[in-house]
Amino acid sequence: MGEAVEIFYPNGFSKICNGTTKNQPPVDETRQFDSWYEEEIDEDLKWSFALKSVLYKGSSEYQDIALLDTKRFGKVLVIDGKMQSAEVDEFIYHECLIHPALLFHSNPKTVFIMGGGEGSAAREALRHKFIDEVVMCDIDEEVVNFCRRYLTVNRDAFCNKKLNLVINDAKAELEKRTEKFDIIVGDLADPVEGGPCYQLYTKSFYEKILKPKLNENGIFVTQAGPAGIFTHKEVFSSIYHTIRQVFKYVLAYTAHVPSFADTWGWVMASDQPFSIGAEEIDKRIAERVDGELLYLNGSSFLSSATMNKTVYLSLLNETHVYTEENARFIPGHGLGNHL
């Protein structure tokens, strides 16, 4: 999630929130929790989770890491003070990130994932029966090792023989590789001021480094930040417009992720048209994917690619193009030390 953790503290919200007023009944103490995780959505809006416990807190060479056990959303992974995924609903984000591109491709064999250290994107890609290789490239070995140890849902993916795990900067790794891929996935952190990831959302990166590593009918897909009615102009519309400068066919789609407290966006791009319908998507899911998808089917995907009027007009009229010198950022700086 794209906003910074503001504070973590014991004994509820505050004396004001735990107290009573003349016109309010006494608070039911059985409903009070000892600890809360609080995340700033905007300067005048915060989002809080009641905690059972802090399962892990530490730092790597690159970022702060925490694993929280929350009452509502189960285990929550927080990196640099930002929620990355929650146990109960991460399937929404990762099914939307991975499966559309693999299903729209006629015969995908190779996948390159930029980032994705928690392993969930690789897990979903490896569910496709005819995939030969998934390369997952993350810069932070400690985060990868942490996720292998604590996120038990992804242990099988980390042990899969088709997974090629690479510890490196994704930009540098793509630059040095000679082979091309059918699918390239951007499972990167949101672009925040002072962070390195925004460089992997720029036109020059897409045009000079990423696109040349796609096969002729290859597909690129990336997470593109908040896409809600009030948040889509932060980075979503700009990422979409930037990718349109590089690829012939670009498709934006969105889904609500409850633990993110917002609608989230993805952008899929290719030089080949996205021309299959709901029935063919469902057919390919049945033929290609191991097990049942929990969120995605043909009809829901096509619906997710239909924007409301406000977002549609913003995408249509966006003029900003990401460059190293002119980037947009998600509010917040990842204040992980406040945990």
Side-chain angles (χ1 to χ4, degrees), residues 1-5 37 39 77-85 190-193 330-336:
M1 191 174 180
E3 320 306 336
V5 171
Y37 159 84
E39 188 160 339
L77 177 65
V78 178
I79 293 180
D80 270 351
K82 300 177 184 181
M83 180 188 289
Q84 303 299 304
S85 66
D190 300 316
V192 294
E193 193 165 8
I330 294 283
H333 299 272
L335 304 177

XYZ file of all heavy atoms in Angstrom, residues 1-5 37 39 77-85 190-193 330-336:
197
model
N 0.836 -1.186 0.000
C 0.000 0.000 0.000
C 0.871 1.236 0.000
O 1.956 1.228 0.559
C -0.901 -0.027 1.231
C -2.005 1.023 1.208
S -3.086 0.792 2.615
C -4.223 2.121 2.326
N 0.377 2.360 -0.539
C 1.259 3.455 -0.838
C 1.463 4.502 0.212
O 2.168 5.469 -0.022
N 0.867 4.396 1.409
C 1.008 5.478 2.362
C 1.872 5.049 3.545
O 2.022 3.890 3.859
C -0.372 5.934 2.873
C -1.440 5.974 1.799
C -1.059 6.799 0.599
O -0.218 7.699 0.720
O -1.589 6.539 -0.476
N 2.417 6.025 4.258
C 3.404 5.742 5.291
C 2.765 5.377 6.616
O 1.738 5.917 7.001
C 4.298 6.958 5.491
N 3.407 4.471 7.333
C 2.992 4.166 8.684
C 3.283 5.373 9.557
O 4.388 5.904 9.565
C 3.759 2.949 9.226
C 3.478 2.763 10.713
C 3.348 1.708 8.477
N -2.018 -0.507 14.766
C -1.123 -0.083 13.691
C -1.878 0.988 12.911
O -3.017 0.785 12.505
C -0.806 -1.286 12.807
C -0.328 -0.986 11.402
C 1.010 -0.715 11.150
C -1.209 -0.996 10.322
C 1.444 -0.456 9.858
C -0.777 -0.743 9.035
C 0.547 -0.471 8.812
O 0.981 -0.215 7.547
N -1.926 3.852 9.760
C -1.326 4.242 8.492
C -2.017 5.492 7.964
O -3.247 5.590 7.988
C -1.446 3.102 7.485
C -0.692 3.333 6.196
C -0.430 2.029 5.452
O -0.456 0.955 6.079
O -0.183 2.104 4.244
N 2.345 -7.867 5.952
C 3.747 -7.568 5.681
C 3.907 -6.068 5.468
O 3.224 -5.473 4.634
C 4.211 -8.325 4.443
C 5.655 -8.068 3.989
C 6.652 -8.576 5.034
C 5.914 -8.727 2.633
N 4.822 -5.463 6.233
C 5.086 -4.031 6.141
C 6.559 -3.838 5.816
O 7.429 -4.356 6.522
C 4.746 -3.314 7.473
C 5.070 -1.825 7.380
C 3.280 -3.522 7.823
N 6.842 -3.130 4.728
C 8.227 -2.842 4.330
C 8.394 -1.340 4.200
O 7.597 -0.674 3.533
C 8.591 -3.557 3.024
C 8.605 -5.072 3.252
C 9.946 -3.095 2.503
C 8.961 -5.893 2.027
N 9.420 -0.815 4.841
C 9.661 0.627 4.867
C 8.423 1.382 5.312
O 8.072 2.430 4.772
C 10.134 1.133 3.503
C 11.652 1.099 3.377
O 12.319 0.853 4.405
O 12.158 1.298 2.270
N 7.746 0.830 6.299
C 6.576 1.490 6.838
C 5.351 1.452 5.960
O 4.382 2.154 6.232
N 5.356 0.630 4.923
C 4.222 0.575 4.005
C 3.676 -0.836 3.907
O 4.434 -1.782 3.748
C 4.640 1.045 2.612
C 5.151 2.464 2.606
C 5.616 2.832 1.224
C 6.221 4.216 1.257
N 6.679 4.635 -0.064
N 2.368 -0.949 4.013
C 1.758 -2.261 3.874
C 1.973 -2.793 2.457
O 1.681 -2.123 1.475
C 0.260 -2.203 4.170
C -0.397 -3.565 4.024
S -2.175 -3.487 4.134
C -2.374 -3.135 5.856
N 2.499 -4.001 2.364
C 2.710 -4.649 1.069
C 1.594 -5.626 0.739
O 1.154 -5.710 -0.403
C 4.055 -5.389 1.071
C 5.242 -4.509 1.381
C 5.417 -3.406 0.361
O 5.537 -3.656 -0.826
N 5.441 -2.166 0.823
N 1.161 -6.386 1.728
C 0.068 -7.324 1.493
C -0.464 -7.811 2.829
O 0.220 -7.754 3.851
C 0.533 -8.516 0.649
O 1.474 -9.298 1.357
N 5.748 1.175 -4.574
C 5.208 2.397 -5.158
C 6.307 3.446 -5.293
O 7.257 3.481 -4.509
C 4.108 2.964 -4.254
C 2.964 1.996 -4.070
O 2.551 1.398 -5.070
O 2.497 1.847 -2.929
N 6.194 4.321 -6.298
C 7.176 5.395 -6.426
C 7.017 6.422 -5.304
O 6.000 7.109 -5.224
C 6.847 6.010 -7.796
C 5.441 5.630 -8.079
C 5.188 4.338 -7.378
N 8.007 6.492 -4.421
C 7.995 7.472 -3.345
C 9.235 8.347 -3.455
O 10.282 7.903 -3.928
C 7.943 6.811 -1.943
C 6.637 6.085 -1.741
C 9.122 5.873 -1.734
N 9.107 9.574 -3.006
C 10.217 10.514 -3.104
C 11.380 10.025 -2.258
O 11.223 9.650 -1.100
C 9.783 11.899 -2.641
C 10.757 12.992 -2.995
C 10.163 14.369 -2.853
O 9.030 14.487 -2.328
O 10.824 15.321 -3.287
N 3.889 8.894 -4.620
C 2.848 8.609 -3.639
C 3.152 9.419 -2.377
O 4.307 9.501 -1.955
C 2.845 7.106 -3.292
C 2.431 6.278 -4.513
C 1.942 6.808 -2.105
C 0.965 6.286 -4.801
N 2.148 10.002 -1.719
C 2.408 10.698 -0.448
C 3.013 9.751 0.574
O 2.653 8.577 0.644
C 1.020 11.165 -0.005
C 0.225 11.222 -1.260
C 0.754 10.116 -2.135
N 3.931 10.268 1.361
C 4.550 9.461 2.407
C 5.944 9.023 2.048
O 6.323 8.991 0.881
N 6.699 8.689 3.068
C 8.108 8.372 2.882
C 8.484 7.041 3.515
O 9.658 6.754 3.683
C 8.987 9.481 3.461
C 8.766 10.806 2.796
N 9.439 11.208 1.677
C 7.889 11.809 3.097
C 9.030 12.414 1.315
N 8.094 12.797 2.153
N 7.530 6.233 3.926
C 7.861 4.943 4.511
C 8.533 5.067 5.855
O 9.658 4.663 6.027
N 7.815 5.628 6.832
C 8.425 5.906 8.127
C 8.410 4.655 9.002
O 7.732 4.601 10.021
C 7.671 7.056 8.823
C 7.596 8.340 7.981
C 6.781 9.396 8.724
C 8.981 8.869 7.689
N 9.140 3.653 8.584
C 9.112 2.373 9.274
C 9.673 2.437 10.672
O 9.357 1.606 11.525
